[in-house]
Amino acid sequence: MTHYLYLVRHGEHLDAEHGLEDGPLSPRGRRQAELLADRLSGVPLTSVWHSPLERAAETARAVSERLPSVTPQPSALLFDCLPTGMTPDTPVVYEPFFGSHTEAEEEAGRAQMGDAVVEFMGRKSGAHELLITHNFVIGWFVREALDAPQWRWLTLHQAHCGLTVLAQRGGRPWTLVSHNDMAHLPVELRTGLTELPPV
């Protein structure tokens, strides 16, 4: 039996370009979520989890409207967070980014993602779980699956409602099946990718 994790960054939220940290989905974000649901319609999902932040919760609701067999559940382990601070092998080009965050934020994020990996990557096989969360969180899960250096989550960006799939069969190592797949999104709905790590 294989355990699948379908990792999705929330849809675009309203007024994100004005610096608001959270909010409801924009009309474009709503359409992204609907197309994601269509894409997942043939997947035998066993559970849907989402970050408690409004943009992720609303994305989950939009998906569940089209996939009524699953009921989304919030998980604090999927909150937006900073998985690490600067590590000895982190390229110095990232120092300005980390300079805007506190050690307390980094410690909290590190603890959260440690628990999230145990919770979602340590389950028994046979599950098909959809996790609707945030860019950094998905980057950390992918980094974990690839056993990459800790700082590499910084280089693993996701578009709004892009689809990343991880799989593990019978105790074998996790496999990255796809990363940031946007085939279900027309070009005008492929938003969220920037040169700096987006949240």
Side-chain angles (χ1 to χ4, degrees):
M1 297 286 285
T2 302
H3 180 190
Y4 290 94
L5 288 178
Y6 303 86
L7 307 173
V8 172
R9 186 182 177 199
H10 58 81
E12 178 187 76
H13 71 280
L14 198 62
D15 294 328
E17 68 272 17
H18 300 302
L20 296 182
E21 292 186 6
D22 197 17
L25 294 182
S26 67
R28 187 161 54 181
R30 178 82 181 180
R31 184 66 182 136
Q32 290 165 340
E34 291 169 351
L35 291 171
L36 171 69
D38 291 344
R39 175 74 182 275
L40 294 172
S41 63
V43 175
L45 292 175
T46 53
S47 57
V48 176
W49 301 92
H50 63 85
S51 159
L53 291 177
E54 185 176 1
R55 59 192 187 267
E58 190 170 332
T59 302
R61 286 194 299 272
V63 168
S64 69
E65 286 173 6
R66 293 191 174 213
L67 301 173
S69 63
V70 289
T71 302
Q73 299 291 327
S75 171
L77 296 177
L78 298 177
F79 258 124
D80 194 10
C81 73
L82 196 69
T84 67
M86 283 289 290
T87 61
D89 57 343
T90 304
V92 295
V93 69
Y94 291 110
E95 282 184 355
F97 169 75
F98 285 110
S100 64
H101 298 281
T102 67
E103 286 187 20
E105 287 178 303
E106 295 167 4
E107 290 175 6
R110 185 178 295 110
Q112 175 187 320
M113 291 315 302
D115 290 344
V117 165
V118 171
E119 177 68 17
F120 294 108
M121 298 182 81
R123 296 184 192 274
K124 293 181 180 179
S125 62
H128 289 259
E129 297 185 282
L130 172 61
L131 311 183
I132 298 174
T133 180
H134 305 276
N135 185 62
F136 294 168
V137 174
I138 296 170
W140 186 263
F141 277 121
V142 173
R143 182 221 63 79
E144 182 74 20
L146 297 176
D147 195 25
Q150 287 195 357
W151 65 271
R152 289 309 299 264
W153 63 269
L154 284 160
T155 67
L156 298 165
H157 299 176
Q158 340 305 311
H160 293 124
C161 287
L163 178 63
T164 293
V165 182
L166 304 179
Q168 183 186 46
R169 180 186 296 176
R172 297 179 186 178
W174 280 90
T175 300
L176 178 62
V177 177
S178 65
H179 178 254
N180 197 35
D181 183 348
M182 295 181 283
H184 52 290
L185 300 173
V187 173
E188 65 271 17
L189 294 182
R190 296 179 182 183
T191 61
L193 292 175
T194 62
E195 291 185 6
L196 294 175
V199 296

